[in-house]
Amino acid sequence: MKNRKIMFVSPQQVETVEENFIPETLAGQEVLVQLIYSLISPGTELAMLSGKEDWAKLPVCPGYSSVSKVVEVGKGVKEYVPGDIVFHYGNHSEYQVVPINHVFLKVPEHLDLKWVPFTRMATVAFTSVRVSNIEIVIL
């Protein structure tokens, strides 16, 4: 199948790549998804694009959060079926293989799908509360 994706190929150089995508046999807890919407993170992805981040070696297909349609499921996947709409942390790639044992959730029906990737922003805000020593003091 044809796959289109965004690639950071070198510092400050971005390309749209079209390739033949032939997924290997899915592992037991993996799914193949087709991207519907993805969200960028200006801070995270500009840091990646600088080429100075050890955790994002160039070339790399960036990504932050995505809403996708399940295309195929691994043999051990019981809770998802092809056609399900899911939220996950994904790349800016039309097709990708994603493990379901990380952030991978069915999207409730009747939600406007273009807003679903913003769920990641709520997790960022909540993480700051979770890892801090924040307290409520009642006087």
Side-chain angles (χ1 to χ4, degrees):
M1 68 184 72
K2 290 285 185 193
N3 186 42
R4 293 173 297 159
K5 63 184 181 181
I6 303 296
M7 289 294 297
F8 292 173
V9 293
S10 61
Q12 309 307 322
Q13 184 179 352
V14 181
E15 293 181 6
T16 302
V17 175
E18 188 169 305
E19 63 185 1
N20 285 322
F21 182 72
I22 303 168
E24 296 179 19
T25 301
L26 296 173
Q29 297 297 303
E30 290 181 332
V31 297
L32 172 64
V33 297
Q34 182 178 18
L35 184 67
I36 298 171
Y37 291 109
S38 64
L39 182 69
I40 65 166
S41 169
T44 300
E45 293 181 279
L46 284 175
M48 293 170 76
L49 186 56
S50 74
K52 297 177 183 175
E53 299 296 332
D54 289 337
W55 50 268
K57 298 291 185 196
L58 301 179
V60 65
C61 180
Y64 199 66
S65 66
S66 303
V67 61
S68 300
K69 180 173 71 172
V70 173
V71 175
E72 184 181 340
V73 300
K75 290 182 180 179
V77 176
K78 305 296 181 214
E79 54 274 80
Y80 302 98
V81 296
D84 281 347
I85 305 299
V86 295
F87 166 78
H88 60 98
Y89 295 174
N91 298 327
H92 304 304
S93 179
E94 186 172 2
Y95 291 96
Q96 58 194 288
V97 174
V98 181
I100 65 165
N101 58 350
H102 294 112
V103 175
F104 196 85
L105 307 163
K106 283 186 187 177
V107 175
E109 292 183 27
H110 311 298
L111 286 183
D112 186 340
L113 296 182
K114 72 176 173 266
W115 298 109
V116 172
F118 286 92
T119 302
R120 178 85 186 256
M121 302 318 298
T123 67
V124 169
F126 185 72
T127 297
S128 65
V129 172
R130 186 177 54 81
V131 300
S132 70
N133 291 322
I134 207 165
E135 295 181 23
I136 298 175
V137 178
I138 299 175
L139 300 174

